[in-house]
């Protein structure tokens, strides 16, 4: 919504460039370039001829003939003040002055002085960087904890100790199949333009998760279809327990079933215990 793609509505030759490098800052209505268009000059002359005939003949019908060229000038992108000047002075302008519709930075420039351009040619891309979007990737299991207008703290590598405040404005309705993630859009105020398009950033979203049972990631042994923990029993024995896991919090998982608060479990060497149990079960099998 803060990006402008600058194109002309008439064909012609660029006679002068006012903005000639990427990164240049422009204000709204600043001149970008001047374009010489024979069609534009012809339309102005048609208006002056029609107006002159109307004044001499004094007929309202001929006066109305001047409205059509004026409308074509407006539809061609001629500014209202330039049309007013044509009506006041009666002198046609040789070139069309193209102005910036927004304030911002020039991100792309695809035009040179003396080049021929057409309406399909994108001349400039200008962006207002005072507000930027962060496209974040949220894992599928984290989606229940994401809400619109949720506050977000964002950090970048160049300013690690300066978090930027933003808010969630959109959650994409589809899941990326390869990564099992969903894109979430975060809108951030950027008055000093410290956030640059193309940067990588980390975001932190705080959400009240309530109460639950957590175990260390190292305590979970994944078999592909199941998640196994080893519960400690009296006498130095261990019991494999299938657990159902929910969300991940740093290096810990939430346990929905299989364990209870106060259970003692193995948090390291779980692979060795599993391997030993398999070896002992082989002869009995």
């Amino acid at each position: 919504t803060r990006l402008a793609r600058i194109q002309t509505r008439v064909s012609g030759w660029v006679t002068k460039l006012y903005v000639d490098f990427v990164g240049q800052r422009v204000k709204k209505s600043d001149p970008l370039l001047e374009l010489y268009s024979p069609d534009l000059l012809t339309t102005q002359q048609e208006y002056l001829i029609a107006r002159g005939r109307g004044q001499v003949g004094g007929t309202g019908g001929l006066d109305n003939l001047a409205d059509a060229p004026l409308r074509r000038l407006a539809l061609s992108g001629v500014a209202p003040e330039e049309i007013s000047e044509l009506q006041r002075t009666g002198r046609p302008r040789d070139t069309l002055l193209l102005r910036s519709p927004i304030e911002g930075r020039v991100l792309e420039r695809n035009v040179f002085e003396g080049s021929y351009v057409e309406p399909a040619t994108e001349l400039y891309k200008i962006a207002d960087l005072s507000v930027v979007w962060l496209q974040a990737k949220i894992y599928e299991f984290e989606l229940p904890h994401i809400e619109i207008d949720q506050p977000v703290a964002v950090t970048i590598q160049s300013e690690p100790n300066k978090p930027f405040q933003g808010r969630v404005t959109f959650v994409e309705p589809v899941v990326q199949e390869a990564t099992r993630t969903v894109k979430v859009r975060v809108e951030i105020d950027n008055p000093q333009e410290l956030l640059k398009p193309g940067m990588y950033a980390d975001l932190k979203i705080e959400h009240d998760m309530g109460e639950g049972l957590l175990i260390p990631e190292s305590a979970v042994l994944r078999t592909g279809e199941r998640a196994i923990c080893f519960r400690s029993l009296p006498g130095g024995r261990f019991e494999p327990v299938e657990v159902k896991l929910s969300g991940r919090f740093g290096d810990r998982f939430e346990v929905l079933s299989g364990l209870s608060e106060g259970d003692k479990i193995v948090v390291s060497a779980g692979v060795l215990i599993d391997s030993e149990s398999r070896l002992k079960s082989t002869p009995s099998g």
Side-chain angles (χ1 to χ4, degrees):
T1 58
R2 296 173 180 262
L3 183 67
R5 301 178 186 272
I6 311 302
Q7 294 172 284
T8 178
R9 298 177 184 178
V10 294
S11 302
W13 288 265
V14 177
T15 58
K16 185 175 182 179
L17 283 182
Y18 294 95
V19 176
D20 56 0
F21 66 89
V22 173
Q24 186 170 342
R25 187 173 187 83
V26 296
K27 296 181 179 180
K28 186 176 181 178
S29 299
D30 275 359
L32 301 175
L33 58 81
E34 289 188 13
L35 181 74
Y36 168 70
S37 172
D39 294 338
L40 202 63
L41 185 59
T42 301
T43 303
Q44 295 178 80
Q45 291 170 343
E46 288 177 1
Y47 161 72
L48 295 175
I49 292 173
R51 190 181 70 170
R53 288 178 177 174
Q55 289 174 348
V56 173
T59 60
L62 289 174
D63 267 338
N64 293 335
L65 292 177
D67 293 341
L70 286 181
R71 180 167 175 78
R72 288 206 304 272
L73 289 175
L75 293 176
S76 298
V78 179
E81 54 268 23
E82 295 177 17
I83 295 178
S84 298
E85 183 181 356
L86 173 66
Q87 292 174 305
R88 181 177 56 85
T89 62
R91 291 195 300 268
R93 184 184 176 96
D94 293 338
T95 58
L96 168 67
L97 185 61
L98 204 61
R99 298 179 181 273
S100 175
I102 64 171
E103 179 178 352
R105 295 276 184 180
V106 177
L107 300 186
E108 292 183 11
R109 177 181 72 95
N110 303 312
V111 62
F112 301 91
E113 197 166 296
S115 59
Y116 179 79
V117 298
E118 296 179 335
T121 307
E122 184 176 294
L123 308 176
Y124 294 96
K125 183 187 290 184
I126 301 175
D128 177 7
L129 300 180
S130 62
V131 176
V132 294
W133 285 354
L134 170 68
Q135 298 284 4
K137 292 183 178 180
I138 303 297
Y139 286 107
E140 190 175 356
F141 66 84
E142 297 171 326
L143 280 177
H145 316 303
I146 305 298
E147 300 174 357
I148 300 297
D149 289 329
Q150 198 170 22
V152 176
V154 178
T155 56
I156 55 177
Q157 292 183 355
S158 59
E159 299 281 349
N161 299 321
K162 182 179 180 180
F164 298 85
Q165 300 303 315
R167 63 184 182 91
V168 176
T169 58
F170 180 73
V171 179
E172 204 170 60
V174 296
V175 176
Q176 304 295 321
E177 294 186 5
T179 59
R180 308 311 303 172
T181 58
V182 175
K183 287 185 179 180
V184 172
R185 180 190 305 157
V186 176
E187 190 173 287
I188 312 169
D189 290 331
N190 187 35
Q192 299 178 340
E193 297 187 2
L194 297 177
L195 300 173
K196 313 290 186 184
M199 276 184 167
Y200 283 104
D202 294 321
L203 75 155
K204 181 179 180 181
I205 302 177
E206 293 188 1
H207 181 74
D208 185 5
M209 302 298 296
E211 296 184 355
L213 181 65
L214 297 178
I215 60 174
E217 179 185 9
S218 58
V220 180
L221 185 67
R222 294 185 178 274
T223 65
E225 297 181 354
R226 300 185 301 164
I228 302 295
C229 288
F230 289 94
R231 181 162 44 198
S232 177
L233 300 177
R237 295 179 297 116
F238 300 97
E239 175 188 26
V241 178
E242 183 177 349
V243 294
K244 184 178 180 181
L245 304 177
S246 178
R248 180 172 181 169
F249 303 88
D251 59 351
R252 295 181 295 174
F253 285 107
E254 180 184 5
V255 179
L256 299 180
S257 63
L259 293 173
S260 302
E261 183 178 357
D263 285 347
K264 291 184 178 181
I265 59 174
V266 176
V267 297
S268 63
V271 175
L272 295 178
I273 295 176
D274 181 61
S275 299
E276 183 178 358
S277 64
R278 291 174 184 271
L279 289 173
K280 289 184 176 180
S281 65
T282 300
S284 61

